[in-house]
Amino acid sequence: MDLKGEVFVVTGASRGIGRGVALALLEAGATVHVTGRTRTETEASAHPQGSGSLEGLREEAKGLPGELSLHYCDHAFDRQTQSVIADILHRHGKIDVLVNNAWPGYENMVENEEFTWMRRSGSSPCGVGRR
């Protein structure tokens, strides 16, 4: 699949599914803007998952045919999100696809070895449309 000329935004792309999606899109030649809260691998070492950063993604993506742009962004703050989107629209005039992957829930899922998702969220981890 050739995605050259297509502009994608992948939120939460410093690790996990978001990172994998971003790399696949870059492999297909897309222009990919990614967001994340973890800038460096040093910061990532303090993360519950222990690795994954925007800087690390840049290194992994070297040599792929697409164009990668990194944006530090905590989507809990609307102004940061608005700034990222404004920058992308200024640069490209469009966003073709948004992959809305950012999710901070892992940070509070376990307390004292107890799984707390249901207590905190009031729904299953697969709930849709809640903010």
Side-chain angles (χ1 to χ4, degrees):
M1 180 180 296
D2 182 10
L3 295 177
K4 187 173 183 168
E6 301 294 317
V7 178
F8 289 78
V9 177
V10 182
T11 66
S14 57
R15 65 183 59 83
I17 293 169
R19 185 184 190 110
V21 168
L23 290 167
L25 293 169
L26 290 163
E27 179 67 35
T31 297
V32 182
H33 290 263
V34 300
T35 68
R37 294 180 298 163
T38 309
R39 292 181 178 103
T40 66
E41 286 303 310
T42 301
E43 288 177 8
S45 65
H47 187 276
Q49 292 179 355
S51 66
S53 68
L54 293 172
E55 178 183 88
L57 175 60
R58 182 191 316 269
E59 287 300 312
E60 190 173 351
K62 281 184 178 175
L64 295 178
E67 176 187 330
L68 175 64
S69 293
L70 308 176
H71 302 271
Y72 172 80
C73 182
D74 184 339
H75 291 286
F77 300 99
D78 289 345
R79 287 183 193 243
Q80 288 184 27
T81 302
Q82 291 164 351
S83 178
V84 168
I85 298 304
D87 178 56
I88 296 166
L89 291 174
H90 176 75
R91 291 170 62 182
H92 303 286
K94 66 176 184 170
I95 295 171
D96 293 302
V97 176
L98 167 65
V99 179
N100 195 17
N101 175 70
W103 181 66
Y106 58 82
E107 294 169 342
N108 297 307
M109 286 182 64
V110 178
E111 290 177 4
N112 299 319
E113 299 183 27
E114 176 192 355
F115 185 66
T116 62
W117 175 263
M118 296 296 285
R119 180 171 41 116
R120 289 187 176 276
S121 71
S123 69
S124 78
C126 297
V128 176
R130 294 187 177 216
R131 182 165 191 228

